[in-house]
Amino acid sequence: MTRQIHVCLLDMPTVSHNNYGLWAHPSNRHADYKSLEFWLDVARLLERGLFDGLFFADVLGIAEGFGGGPQTALREGAHVPSHDPLLLISAMASVTRHLAFAATVSTTYEPPFALARRMSTLDHLTKGRIGWNVVTSYLPTAAANFGFAAEMEHDARYERAEEYMEVCYKLWESSWADDAVLADRAGQIYTDPAKVRPIDHSGPFFSVRGPHLAEPSPQRTPVIFQAGSSGRGAAFAARHAEGVFVGGYTYDGLASFVAELRAKAAVAGRHPRQLKTFVHAHVLTAPSDALAKAKLADFNRWSRAEGYIAHRFGAGLDLARHPPERRLEDIIAEGGPGSAHMARYPHRADATVGDIIQEIGQLESKRFFVAGTPVEVADTLEAWCERYDLDGFLLAQHTTPGTAADFIDLIVPELQKRGRYRRAYAPDETFRERLLGKGQTGLPRGHPGHAWRQHRPI
Amino acid sequence: MTRQIHVCLLDMPTVSHNNYGLWAHPSNRHADYKSLEFWLDVARLLERGLFDGLFFADVLGIAEGFGGGPQTALREGAHVPSHDPLLLISAMASVTRHLAFAATVSTTYEPPFALARRMSTLDHLTKGRIGWNVVTSYLPTAAANFGFAAEMEHDARYERAEEYMEVCYKLWESSWADDAVLADRAGQIYTDPAKVRPIDHSGPFFSVRGPHLAEPSPQRTPVIFQAGSSGRGAAFAARHAEGVFVGGYTYDGLASFVAELRAKAAVAGRHPRQLKTFVHAHVLTAPSDALAKAKLADFNRWSRAEGYIAHRFGAGLDLARHPPERRLEDIIAEGGPGSAHMARYPHRADATVGDIIQEIGQLESKRFFVAGTPVEVADTLEAWCERYDLDGFLLAQHTTPGTAADFIDLIVPELQKRGRYRRAYAPDETFRERLLGKGQTGLPRGHPGHAWRQHRPI
């Protein structure tokens, strides 16, 4: 049986995300990110296109990747100004019945008790259509917004994240029994107190008593996403992630990275196919090859390198301070600000500063970029899934609603013809069931969160 | 000219709030608090009734006010289970055009940088229909959920809250100039970087660099609400609050308290009438006096004292540990857990534990309770406004949608007849304009947040 391809739209409540300069294209509505109606339209469109979900990125500081200050990101609308993505979800859920919503929330800056209730709230309101993209944050400017002198060291962030997950699992999985809520009107008892327990968590980073404030939601634990490209990140993903973003900025070794990730998950006691692998895909399509090429040329005229640079080098490595002929690898080797972060995202070995500035703004320079007819795009998507053992794509947008509308009108029918894309949503399906199959509403056996079920009050 | 009476519905995303036992009444839908459709219906109803807004309470721990544990609150559904109120607002905003939304968020447990972006996000999405009820939290169980061994001392919480407000004002009022956003498509410049500045806040409690991540929202600073009953709380309210909850549990001295509050605001440089005073009103009405009495008797049969006790004594004074003949004043004088908190909410001087348990569950024992025909209720509301210099009411609910529907169908027309209640919303009005008058979208001169405008980049 051919495997279904999972597709989420990648978005962020900001002016520009993942494509810079294009916000100003006459067909692009994304500068309306402040308007509720804009988001309702996006949600309706994606549900019409039978997308798995809408996936929200987020950052808590400004990427100062070009010129050593916020000016480039501000000028380009590159992730700034931005809004809190969690606050959009109930509105979009109210005009959809099936579309899932995943949002990025950092474990570094906000307390787990509050985050756990937020996720439970949304899981209830959406009837189980919620996912959480766990990030540990990497921007020094975010650290400065939350009272830290510097960004916490990468591995320390992951140690903290590991304990953060444990606190959340305890709240979601172990604090309330399945039958704790009686809602007994005749007896006037809402909850049976014997079926609710504090979690009494005490660890190096967190001390949380509980009980959880929310009653058990459809999925209890939201579907966990994570981008595990570093060694520590991959270990975290192999343990916790149900959807994992692979790929970074290179194809090199991706197939073996995915194989190792699944192997690590198996060693950790999980079913390796219960990790769904995703990459960011940059897709541009039109009914004919000539039209697709013309669209690419048009978009490239609007595209601007500066926003890409500010974003990708946001951890602090400032290209503007180096001459164009300098090789990136040499700058990284020097070990200045942001170089440790960039070392984890390999670039072409011989790329100079000048090369990067020249290439980065061209749409076709992105990994997992494809432009062509629906048949060509579908061929490519299928080939990627095959070659790298991918389960799906986060669709990056060039324009809104253009990119998603084209995908829905042109690519989806082609994928459906090939048996690779659903023809209808399953009724009353949670997000986790959509990824793992009917009946798998809660965490599956083998997942570290699943183990906390045994501590539920009897 | 007779002053308009402002009316907000008081609610909380939980089973029972402010009235206990009544969740089980056959006409009460409030146990559906988990459903999005429930909240959309509430929002539509309130907009039909031309309410000023919907006001959300919140707590971050379980009130252990009876029996020394969470069992009473759990059994009664008294503020637990609960959801994060901020996450409901975008959905309700999407089915209304005028209704405002105020939500309670504590300054004690979550970082100001994140809260400031949340409020800006909602102010944008709702086009200026947002208020923030500033609380410092008082529940020891909330402290334990956020890693604090004990609740911070009352006055220290207010010192921290004072600095928290300063951080927020800097982010909202001083970080972005009015004309920072160019959204210049031809020039491909979204924001003029010269018009955005970091806030570089550094104080005893917080260190926040900025810039703010959100562009200026319609109101910039949400309408600030606060319940200032303690000395320190009243000082805070006189400085910051635009809507202030007065009254506590007694009428004694309320008129002079309000007069002093306005005088303090004037000393602080504010217009004393720009503080809008509200009390929680418990209103029960029916077309005839006999029907109102019958409804009261019916509701009292469902009402249960335990939930009230768990809530009101949630700071830790446990009535269950004292004999019924013991006087509350004597228990408070002993200075055990929760007694400092209870000392700020005076009860009848000679009330014994037994008296309280017997009286507290009766609806008519509440301050600002009225049951009667629409004419009687309107007379009473007007008299309260007169006697205590009140600007409006937060309507506590006995049943949902019953209480609000009765108010809208029976009381509103009577108040309209008397020129005390709007006959239509003003078009495109922000929440602050609704309270302070057309044109007053931002903070008025004299408010401590207003002063930060002068630091905006030129």
Side-chain angles (χ1 to χ4, degrees), chain B residues 38-87:
Chain B
F38 171 82
W39 293 107
L40 300 182
D41 286 348
V42 168
R44 289 185 193 109
L45 173 68
L46 300 187
E47 182 142 304
R48 173 168 83 70
L50 306 173
F51 270 45
D52 286 73
L54 171 56
F55 189 98
F56 277 122
D58 191 32
V59 286
L60 289 164
I62 301 178
E64 301 192 337
F66 200 69
Q71 62 274 14
T72 303
L74 285 164
R75 192 177 298 117
E76 303 294 328
H79 305 192
V80 61
S82 78
H83 284 170
D84 185 326
L86 289 184
L87 296 170

Side-chain angles (χ1 to χ4, degrees), chain B residues 52 134 148 274 303 310 321 429 438:
Chain B
D52 286 73
V134 182
F148 300 97
Q274 289 184 340
S303 180
R321 296 179 50 203
E429 180 183 64
K438 189 71 193 163

Side-chain angles (χ1 to χ4, degrees), chain B residues 237-259:
Chain B
R239 247 174 83 70
H240 300 280
E242 305 180 79
V244 52
F245 307 117
V246 297
Y249 298 110
T250 172
Y251 298 114
D252 300 343
L254 180 55
S256 58
F257 178 86
V258 169

Side-chain angles (χ1 to χ4, degrees), chain A residues 231-290:
Chain A
R232 188 66 200 247
F236 186 94
R239 248 174 83 71
H240 299 281
E242 307 180 78
V244 52
F245 307 118
V246 297
Y249 298 109
T250 174
Y251 298 116
D252 301 343
L254 180 56
S256 59
F257 178 85
V258 169
E260 278 165 39
L261 193 68
R262 295 203 197 274
K264 276 181 202 153
V267 168
R270 300 177 64 192
H271 191 300
R273 295 234 66 91
Q274 288 184 341
L275 264 78
K276 300 298 173 188
T277 53
F278 290 84
V279 295
H280 297 187
H282 303 256
V283 174
L284 193 154
T285 193
S288 76
D289 209 56

Side-chain angles (χ1 to χ4, degrees), chain B residues 280-355:
Chain B
H280 297 186
H282 302 257
V283 174
L284 193 153
T285 192
S288 75
D289 209 57
L291 285 170
K293 283 206 172 68
K295 194 184 277 190
L296 175 58
D298 177 36
F299 284 0
N300 269 330
R301 273 191 297 274
W302 289 89
S303 180
R304 285 168 55 84
E306 290 86 341
Y308 290 98
I309 297 170
H311 172 195
R312 193 178 306 170
F313 294 87
L317 191 160
D318 185 0
L319 286 194
R321 296 179 50 203
H322 298 277
E325 66 278 10
R326 194 90 199 279
R327 279 168 24 132
L328 179 62
E329 300 256 301
D330 297 336
I331 301 171
I332 289 171
E334 259 174 19
S339 55
H341 181 77
M342 290 315 299
R344 289 193 296 275
Y345 293 97
H347 291 73
R348 187 156 54 81
D350 60 347
T352 63
V353 168
D355 293 339

Side-chain angles (χ1 to χ4, degrees), chain A residues 136-138 153-155 157-158 229-233 247-250 315 332 338-347:
Chain A
T136 62
S137 302
Y138 67 96
E153 195 271 321
H154 177 262
D155 281 12
R157 294 204 309 268
Y158 271 103
S229 46
S230 66
R232 188 66 200 247
Y249 298 109
T250 174
I332 289 171
S339 55
H341 182 76
M342 289 316 298
R344 288 194 296 275
Y345 294 97
H347 291 73

